[in-house]
Amino acid sequence: MKILAISGSPRKSGRTGIAARYLQKKYGVELIDLSKGEIPLYNGESYQGELDHIKSLKEKVKKADAVLLLSPEYHSGMSGALKNALDFLGSEQFHSKPVGLLVVAGGGKGGINALNNMRIVGRGVYANVIPRQLVLDPHCFDYDNDSLNEQSADLVDALYKELVLYVKMREYMLENEEA
């Protein structure tokens, strides 16, 4: 099973990256780290689809069985870096694919608006955004070990396990649809 995580933080070091690395270390998910700045600003011009980083992004998302989208909450929405990356993608990569959402909040607004923002965009690309979603606040992190505290790790594990369940359900449905 191939699960891809997209860390939507433009920051080289930050809590969203910690959560993404936790998933990478524990579950071996492939990670796209948008803080590397490899994705240009989407402008809708066809030449962008021929850029190596965009081809790679599209291919990785298309080949994944599921995607985890991680974002810091910026002004009650997902990061511009994540939205920009998603603008290069569409139903060709996401149709009926299970997608999990994780937001890292820090300002006391709780992250729900960023989750809703991500869910709306997921619906726009025909993704199957799973019901379970997660917000991690600053107290959820073990900064000294570049990880999560135990309680938060359990919450991330539950999100991951539900995403895997949806992958299995999709596989079952696709297998039995052909029969």
Side-chain angles (χ1 to χ4, degrees):
M1 181 175 310
K2 186 172 184 166
I3 297 183
L4 175 69
I6 301 176
S7 179
S9 177
R11 293 182 180 165
K12 300 249 183 257
S13 61
R15 293 185 305 271
T16 305
I18 292 172
R21 288 187 296 277
Y22 171 83
L23 286 158
Q24 187 180 39
K25 289 174 195 167
K26 178 144 189 192
Y27 294 106
V29 302
E30 183 175 2
L31 178 60
I32 295 175
D33 182 356
L34 297 181
S35 74
K36 292 180 179 179
E38 299 168 336
I39 306 296
L41 184 62
Y42 179 79
N43 65 16
E45 295 184 24
S46 60
Y47 79 88
Q48 286 188 317
E50 298 306 314
L51 299 172
D52 289 340
H53 291 298
I54 302 306
K55 285 182 184 178
S56 175
L57 173 68
K58 288 181 175 183
E59 190 68 20
K60 287 177 181 181
V61 174
K62 187 172 184 174
K63 286 185 174 181
D65 295 308
V67 177
L68 276 160
L69 298 177
L70 295 88
S71 179
E73 181 181 49
Y74 289 155
H75 303 298
S76 297
M78 75 175 98
S79 72
L82 181 58
K83 176 61 169 82
N84 183 64
L86 292 171
D87 285 342
F88 283 100
L89 304 168
S91 62
E92 182 180 342
Q93 291 81 30
F94 278 109
H95 192 275
S96 79
K97 186 169 297 189
V99 172
L101 306 178
L102 189 156
V103 166
V104 175
K109 293 182 182 176
I112 194 70
N113 289 326
L115 287 169
N116 288 336
N117 183 229
M118 293 163 72
R119 190 170 291 280
I120 288 167
V121 172
R123 193 167 46 236
V125 294
Y126 298 96
N128 181 13
V129 181
I130 67 171
R132 185 180 294 265
Q133 56 191 18
L134 184 57
V135 175
L136 297 177
D137 289 315
H139 72 273
C140 297
F141 295 87
D142 176 357
Y143 298 98
D144 293 334
N145 294 304
D146 193 46
S147 193
L148 304 171
N149 65 35
E150 187 176 338
Q151 183 180 9
S152 301
D154 290 344
L155 295 171
V156 172
D157 292 343
L159 174 66
Y160 182 85
K161 289 174 183 171
E162 185 166 312
L163 186 63
V164 168
L165 175 67
Y166 273 82
V167 170
K168 291 177 181 178
M169 286 190 293
R170 181 177 188 235
E171 289 171 352
Y172 176 82
M173 295 296 289
L174 290 173
E175 288 170 7
N176 289 300
E177 184 179 300
E178 296 170 3

